[in-house]
C-alpha cells in the first residue's frame, strides 16, 4: 500500500476473468476467483492441497470436500480459528 492506495506489483494470472484481492495488512494477494459459472455463484477449489498454509488468528477457512492434503504439506490453524471442510 502506497499513500493509502493498493499498488499491484503483478498482473492476475493469464485467462483470469475475475480476481479476488485479499489485503493482509502489509501486502495484498491477488488470486483468480475460481467459479464454475460466469456469475461466481458456484465457487470451486482444487481437491488436493499442495502447499503449506496458515489460517491466522481472527480468520476462519472453508473448503469443499472431499479434500486431500498432499504428503509433506502442513496446515497450521491458530487456536481461535477454524477450518471447515464440507
Amino acid at each position: 500500500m502506497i499513500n493509502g492506495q493498493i499498488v499491484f506489483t503483478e498482473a492476475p494470472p493469464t485467462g483470469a476473468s475475475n480476481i479476488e484481492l485479499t489485503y493482509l495488512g502489509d501486502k495484498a494477494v491477488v488470486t483468480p476467483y475460481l467459479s464454475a459459472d460466469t456469475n461466481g455463484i458456484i465457487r470451486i477449489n482444487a481437491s488436493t492441497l499442495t502447499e503449506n498454509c496458515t489460517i491466522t488468528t481472527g480468520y476462519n477457512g472453508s473448503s469443499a470436500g472431499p479434500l486431500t492434503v498432499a504428503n509433506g504439506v502442513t496446515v497450521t490453524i491458530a487456536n481461535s480459528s477454524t477450518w471447515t471442510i464440507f
Side-chain angles (χ1 to χ4, degrees):
M1 185 172 285
I2 299 174
N3 295 325
Q5 296 182 355
I6 296 173
V7 178
F8 293 96
T9 56
E10 61 183 70
T14 302
S17 57
N18 294 303
I19 61 169
E20 186 169 41
L21 176 68
T22 307
Y23 181 63
L24 301 174
D26 62 339
K27 65 180 178 177
V29 177
V30 177
T31 54
Y33 183 87
L34 300 177
S35 177
D37 65 291
T38 57
N39 295 311
I41 295 169
I42 301 174
R43 290 285 308 256
I44 59 175
N45 58 260
S47 60
T48 303
L49 181 61
T50 58
E51 61 183 305
N52 296 333
C53 63
T54 300
I55 300 173
T56 57
T57 300
Y59 292 90
N60 297 305
S62 64
S63 303
L67 183 71
T68 301
V69 177
N71 288 336
V73 171
T74 301
V75 177
T76 304
I77 304 167
N79 288 334
S80 61
S81 298
T82 60
W83 179 26
T84 303
I85 302 171
F86 53 94

